[in-house]
Amino acid sequence: MKNYHNELTSLVKVSPLMADRLATTIASEVRFFQPNTKRAIREATPIKLSARLDELKSFQYFMDSMHMSGGDKAPQVVRAQVIIQNYICFVYLSDACFYELKKASKAGTTLRKCAKYLTDNPIRAFRNAIAHSNWTYSKDSSSLVYWARKGADRNEPLVEHTVSNETLAFWQALSRCTAYAAFENL
């Protein structure tokens, strides 16, 4: 996450020291949750934490395999990778992890800041667009275009947004880092 030091300090509002040791800090904060808090997080879903961690590890194996395959990848493979990565990082992990972590963590902690950032707009809007199939590639493939409502009212019109590949890479990295650090310590 050191590559994202500036984003962590300016967007997530994590201190420079914590930005340089993000995973360690999150892991420590989760490790020191009260036992009843850890239990509540684990029991918030019918899926066992070990199964969630297995899915995350399988996803990581898939991503590592894609990166190690080298060379030019067929556009279909890249598109499938984008779909899987966005689903895991923003739909699966939000519902399985980030909302519960945000509730359980104390105000001002690095974990709370990360969980809040990952569940608030613009990521919340992007998550909803992924979940409801309201996204596509920009013409030059330098970004994703997505449509989401500004609030929770289903009668609101969908508003067009764009996220650059660079920003999306940061969001995805933060999502995976936060989930791994938390899951490994619950």
Side-chain angles (χ1 to χ4, degrees), residues 107-140:
T109 61
T110 298
L111 175 59
R112 169 72 69 87
K113 290 175 183 180
C114 291
K116 184 174 178 355
Y117 185 79
L118 289 164
T119 56
D120 284 353
N121 283 331
I123 296 175
R124 183 195 68 80
F126 183 70
R127 175 250 178 256
N128 291 341
I130 295 299
H132 299 289
S133 305
N134 292 325
W135 66 278
T136 190
Y137 297 91
S138 64
K139 289 186 193 293
D140 66 358

Side-chain angles (χ1 to χ4, degrees), residues 22-83:
L22 189 70
T24 302
T25 301
I26 291 170
S28 178
E29 290 175 1
V30 170
R31 194 175 312 114
F32 290 109
F33 278 164
Q34 293 296 317
N36 61 332
T37 301
K38 287 182 178 183
R39 187 174 39 262
I41 294 170
R42 288 192 299 266
E43 293 174 356
T45 175
I47 309 299
K48 291 199 177 293
L49 184 63
S50 59
R52 298 270 189 210
L53 193 51
D54 286 346
E55 291 304 324
L56 195 53
K57 288 178 179 177
S58 294
F59 166 67
Q60 186 62 49
Y61 177 80
F62 167 76
M63 293 299 290
D64 290 345
S65 298
M66 291 292 101
H67 290 295
M68 290 187 318
S69 65
D72 292 332
K73 292 185 193 99
Q76 303 89 329
V77 172
V78 172
R79 285 175 179 247
Q81 190 175 349
V82 168
I83 291 168

Side-chain angles (χ1 to χ4, degrees), residues 75-119:
Q76 303 89 329
V77 172
V78 172
R79 285 175 179 247
Q81 190 175 349
V82 168
I83 291 168
I84 293 166
Q85 187 165 13
N86 286 331
Y87 173 78
I88 291 291
C89 290
F90 305 115
V91 179
Y92 186 84
L93 290 176
S94 284
D95 293 354
C97 184
F98 304 140
Y99 290 112
E100 292 302 318
L101 291 174
K102 185 168 76 170
K103 283 193 305 190
S105 58
K106 293 183 180 171
T109 61
T110 298
L111 175 59
R112 169 72 69 87
K113 290 175 183 180
C114 291
K116 184 174 178 355
Y117 185 79
L118 289 164
T119 56

